[in-house]
C-alpha cells in the first residue's frame, strides 16, 4: 500500500494523537516565529536609528602625541610647556573631510572672547557688588562656528534667529550674530558695521589688548533664558553670547587666519553609520590630517541609548528561539518514540509483508510533517499579534531599566557646544519604546524551515531503531 495513504489513514484514525502533535508544533512554531519577528523589528529599528541620530566622531588634539612628534614642548618646572603651530587643526582641511560620503553633517568650533567698545556695550542685569573686580568677566563670550544650526541651543529650539540669518559654511568671515537684548541696548540692526576689542591679554604691553576687529551684523537671535533682574557676571549672561565665523573667532584671539583657514582645537562629524569610522579616518588622512596627532574618537551614546533596550529584547528573543527549538526537538522525539513503541506490531506486520524499512520510516515522517505543516499555518495566522504583545512587554521592561540607569548617570560636555563649558544629559536621545512587528514571506519561510527541520530530526533520531529491526524481533520480543 502507498505510504502516503497509510499516513493519511493513520492521522484520520487517531484524531487525539494528531491534535496533540499539531498542538505541540503550534506552540513551538509560534514561539520560534515570534522570536524571528522580534529580531526583524529590532533590526529595522536599529537601521532607522542610524539614519535619524547618527554617531558623533570627534577629532581633537592629542597633546602627548604632539609632544612626541616634536611639535610641542613639555614643562620643565621653570617654564610652562608650549603648543606650536603643529597643534592647530586647520579649518580648510576639516572642510575636505566634511565632504566625505560617510559624513551626514559636521561642525567645528573656535572658542574666544571679545571685549566691549564704546559702540557695543555688554548687556547688564544689575550692578556688581561693591569692590568686586570684573575685568576678567566683562567680556562677550564668542563662539566661532561653521554652522549655527549645529549648535545645541539652535538645534533644540532654545535659541532662534529673529532677524537676518545665521552663520553657514559659506558665510563671509566678518559676519556676527548677536543676541536681541544686546542689539536693543546698542540700537543695532542687521547690516550695521561694529567693532569689538580682542578679548585676550596683550603679552607685550600687559593688560587687555586694545586691538579692534570689525564685523557686520548678519543676524540677531533670541535666547530662551530670561533676565533674572539680579547681577550676573557678563560672560556668564546668556544675552552676551555672540556667534562669529571660525576666522572671526581667530581674529578675536589676536591672530590672523592663514591660507589653511582658522586654527581649530576640535571638529565633530556625524556619521551615517557607526561602522564608518575606518572610512572617515582614511578620508582624514587623504585630506592631509595627521590622525595620530588629531585622533578620531566615536561617541555613539545617543545611538546606543536609542537601540540599547530593543537590542536586548532581540537578544532575549534569539536565545528563546534556540531554547524552544532544542527543547521542542527533544520533546517531540520522546513523543514520537513513544508512538513508535505503541505501533511495534503494525511495523512488524508491514515488514513481514515485504515493506521496505525506509518507506516505513517515511510513513512516520509524512505523518509528523503533515502535523507540522498545519501548525505552521496556524502559527503564521496568529504569531504577529502574539509577537507584538510579547515584544512590547519585554521592550517596556528594558526601557524602564534603561531609564533607571540613565537617571543615575552624570552630565558631560556636548561635543557640538561651541563654548566648551555647557553640558548635556548623557542620554539625550529617547530609547525606542515601540516595536513595528511585520510578518513577511521571509519570516514564514524561516519558521517553516525550522519547523520541518525539527519534525525531521525528531522523527529520524528515534526511527533509526526501525532500520535495525527485523519482523521476528518486533513480533516476538516487543521492544
Amino acid at each position: 500500500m502507498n505510504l502516503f495513504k497509510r499516513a493519511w489513514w493513520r492521522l484520520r484514525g487517531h484524531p487525539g494523537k494528531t491534535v496533540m502533535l499539531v498542538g505541540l508544533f503550534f506552540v513551538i512554531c509560534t514561539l520560534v516565529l515570534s522570536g524571528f519577528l522580534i529580531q526583524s523589528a529590532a533590526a529595522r529599528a536599529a537601521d532607522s536609528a542610524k539614519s535619524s541620530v547618527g554617531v558623533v566622531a570627534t577629532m581633537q588634539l592629542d597633546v602627548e602625541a604632539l609632544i612626541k612628534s616634536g611639535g610641542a614642548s613639555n614643562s620643565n618646572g621653570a617654564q610652562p610647556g608650549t603648543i606650536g603651530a603643529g597643534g592647530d587643526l586647520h579649518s580648510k582641511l576639516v572642510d575636505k573631510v566634511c565632504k566625505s560620503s560617510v559624513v551626514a553633517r559636521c561642525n567645528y568650533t573656535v572658542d574666544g572672547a571679545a571685549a566691549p567698545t564704546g559702540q557695543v556695550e555688554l548687556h547688564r542685569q544689575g550692578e556688581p557688588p561693591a569692590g568686586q573686580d570684573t575685568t576678567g568677566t566683562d567680556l562677550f563670550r564668542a563662539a566661532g562656528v561653521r554652522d549655527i544650526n549645529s549648535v545645541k541651543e539652535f538645534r533644540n529650539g532654545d535659541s532662534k534667529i529673529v532677524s537676518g540669518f545665521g552663520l553657514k559654511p559659506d558665510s563671509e568671515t566678518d559676519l556676527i550674530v548677536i543676541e536681541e537684548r544686546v542689539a536693543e541696548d546698542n540700537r543695532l540692526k542687521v547690516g550695521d558695521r561694529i567693532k569689538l576689542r580682542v578679548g585676550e591679554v596683550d603679552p607685550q604691553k600687559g593688560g587687555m589688548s586694545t586691538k579692534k576687529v570689525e564685523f557686520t551684523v548678519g543676524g540677531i537671535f533670541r535666547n530662551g533664558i530670561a533676565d533674572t533682574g539680579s547681577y550676573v557676571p557678563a560672560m556668564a549672561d546668556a544675552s552676551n553670547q555672540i556667534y562669529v565665523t571660525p576666522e572671526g573667532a581667530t581674529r578675536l584671539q589676536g591672530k590672523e587666519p592663514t591660507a589653511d583657514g582658522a586654527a581649530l582645537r576640535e571638529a565633530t562629524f556625524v556619521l551615517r553609520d557607526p561602522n564608518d569610522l575606518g572610512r572617515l579616518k582614511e578620508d582624514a588622512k587623504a585630506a592631509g590630517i595627521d590622525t595620530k596627532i588629531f585622533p578620531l574618537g566615536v561617541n555613539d551614546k545617543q545611538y546606543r541609548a536609542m537601540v540599547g533596550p530593543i537590542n536586548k529584547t532581540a537578544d532575549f528573543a534569539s536565545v528563546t528561539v534556540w531554547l524552544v527549538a532544542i527543547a521542542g526537538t527533544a520533546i517531540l522525539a520522546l513523543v514520537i518514540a513513544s508512538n513508535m513503541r505503541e505501533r511495534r506490531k503494525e511495523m512488524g506486520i508491514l515488514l513481514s509483508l515485504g515493506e521496505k524499512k525506509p518507506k516505513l520510516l517515511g510513513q512516520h515522517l509524512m505523518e509528523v510533517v503533515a502535523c507540522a505543516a498545519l501548525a505552521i499555518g496556524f502559527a503564521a495566522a496568529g504569531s504577529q499579534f502574539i509577537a507584538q504583545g510579547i515584544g512590547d512587554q519585554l521592550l517596556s521592561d528594558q526601557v524602564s531599566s534603561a531609564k533607571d540607569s540613565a537617571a543615575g548617570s552624570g552630565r558631560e560636555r556636548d561635543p557640538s557646544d561651541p563654548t566648551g563649558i555647557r553640558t548635556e544629559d548623557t542620554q539625550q536621545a529617547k530609547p525606542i519604546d515601540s516595536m513595528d512587528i511585520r510578518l513577511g514571506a521571509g519570516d514564514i519561510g524561516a519558521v517553516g524551515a525550522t519547523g520541518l527541520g525539527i519534525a525531521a530530526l525528531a522523527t529520524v533520531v528515534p526511527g533509526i531503531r526501525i532500520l535495525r529491526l527485523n519482523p521476528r524481533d518486533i513480533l516476538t520480543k516487543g521492544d
Side-chain angles (χ1 to χ4, degrees):
M1 184 183 295
N2 188 295
L3 67 91
F4 296 101
K5 287 184 178 180
R6 290 203 307 267
W8 170 245
W9 287 346
R10 175 70 186 184
L11 293 174
R12 289 185 59 188
H14 297 79
K17 292 183 178 179
T18 302
V19 171
M20 180 189 67
L21 275 179
V22 171
L24 280 173
F25 270 113
F26 173 75
V27 173
I28 294 169
C29 292
T30 298
L31 292 176
V32 170
L33 182 54
S34 297
F36 287 153
L37 293 178
I38 291 173
Q39 289 175 314
S40 299
R44 286 193 299 272
D47 290 339
S48 176
K50 287 178 185 178
S51 59
S52 64
V53 175
V55 177
V56 177
T58 303
M59 177 183 288
Q60 56 189 358
L61 174 66
D62 186 336
V63 178
E64 292 185 4
L66 183 64
I67 293 174
K68 290 179 181 178
S69 69
S73 63
N74 211 344
S75 174
N76 57 13
Q79 294 182 343
T82 58
I83 296 177
D88 291 336
L89 178 63
H90 295 290
S91 60
K92 292 293 179 65
L93 297 180
V94 176
D95 285 337
K96 294 180 181 179
V97 184
C98 290
K99 296 178 181 178
S100 170
S101 60
V102 301
V103 176
R105 61 183 183 273
C106 72
N107 197 25
Y108 46 73
T109 61
V110 180
D111 300 336
T117 61
Q119 182 188 11
V120 184
E121 296 290 345
L122 295 160
H123 175 72
R124 298 184 185 276
Q125 300 187 41
E127 294 300 321
Q132 179 174 326
D133 183 9
T134 60
T135 303
T137 59
D138 280 350
L139 299 168
F140 289 101
R141 189 171 61 229
V145 297
R146 180 176 186 266
D147 184 357
I148 201 168
N149 291 323
S150 294
V151 177
K152 184 181 71 172
E153 285 76 11
F154 287 87
R155 288 201 319 264
N156 60 25
D158 290 341
S159 296
K160 62 180 180 179
I161 300 293
V162 294
S163 181
F165 48 86
L167 299 171
K168 299 178 180 179
D170 56 354
S171 294
E172 296 293 331
T173 60
D174 65 343
L175 287 181
I176 185 172
V177 178
I178 60 176
E179 213 275 334
E180 186 177 38
R181 284 163 287 188
V182 171
E184 291 175 353
D185 291 349
N186 296 280
R187 298 181 179 179
L188 298 174
K189 62 182 182 300
V190 173
D192 287 349
R193 297 286 291 178
I194 63 173
K195 290 183 179 180
L196 294 171
R197 284 192 296 119
V198 171
E200 301 285 341
V201 174
D202 190 327
Q204 297 179 347
K205 299 180 181 179
M208 296 298 294
S209 173
T210 58
K211 183 179 179 180
K212 294 183 179 180
V213 181
E214 192 170 7
F215 295 96
T216 299
V217 178
I220 298 173
F221 74 96
R222 178 179 298 152
N223 190 293
I225 301 176
D227 287 347
T228 61
S230 57
Y231 170 72
V232 177
M235 203 170 183
D237 193 329
S239 63
N240 291 318
Q241 171 75 62
I242 61 175
Y243 295 98
V244 295
T245 63
E247 292 80 7
T250 301
R251 294 189 181 99
L252 288 174
Q253 293 175 350
K255 307 175 185 178
E256 284 298 324
T258 65
D260 292 327
L264 315 176
R265 282 291 180 266
E266 180 181 281
T268 57
F269 308 90
V270 179
L271 304 182
R272 302 183 189 279
D273 191 292
N275 300 320
D276 288 336
L277 181 62
R279 174 66 183 278
L280 182 64
K281 289 181 178 178
E282 293 176 1
D283 292 342
K285 291 179 181 178
I289 297 175
D290 188 341
T291 53
K292 292 183 180 178
I293 296 177
F294 296 100
L296 278 161
V298 169
N299 180 3
D300 60 349
K301 62 184 179 63
Q302 288 189 337
Y303 172 75
R304 287 185 283 108
M306 286 187 70
V307 303
I310 200 168
N311 279 345
K312 290 181 180 178
T313 302
D315 292 340
F316 179 81
S318 179
V319 172
T320 300
V321 167
W322 281 103
L323 290 177
V324 169
I326 294 171
T329 302
I331 293 171
L332 283 169
L334 291 174
V335 171
I336 293 170
S338 175
N339 286 340
M340 286 182 176
R341 282 196 297 270
E342 293 177 1
R343 298 168 61 182
R344 59 185 182 273
K345 290 184 178 179
E346 174 191 341
M347 291 186 291
I349 293 171
L350 289 172
L351 288 173
S352 65
L353 293 175
E355 184 64 276
K356 302 295 184 183
K357 292 179 180 178
K359 285 189 175 182
L360 192 58
L361 182 59
Q363 175 189 339
H364 289 277
L365 183 59
M366 288 303 303
E367 294 172 10
V368 176
V369 167
C371 294
L374 283 174
I376 291 170
F378 294 145
S383 287
Q384 182 170 355
F385 306 103
I386 296 173
Q388 188 73 61
I390 296 174
D392 287 345
Q393 183 59 48
L394 292 174
L395 182 58
S396 176
D397 294 341
Q398 293 294 341
V399 169
S400 297
S401 299
K403 288 182 178 178
D404 291 341
S405 299
S409 62
R411 298 167 67 86
E412 59 186 53
R413 184 186 182 280
D414 180 358
S416 66
D417 185 349
T419 66
I421 61 175
R422 295 190 182 95
T423 58
E424 65 174 359
D425 292 330
T426 55
Q427 183 174 317
Q428 192 177 37
K430 293 183 179 179
I432 297 171
D433 56 3
S434 62
M435 304 192 77
D436 181 18
I437 300 294
R438 303 176 193 170
L439 180 63
D443 299 307
I444 296 176
V447 75
T450 303
L452 295 178
I454 291 174
L457 192 60
T459 304
V460 170
V461 171
I464 292 176
R465 294 180 59 194
I466 298 175
L467 301 179
R468 296 188 288 113
L469 298 176
N470 59 66
R472 179 174 304 217
D473 291 334
I474 295 174
L475 295 172
T476 58
K477 298 181 179 179
D479 292 339

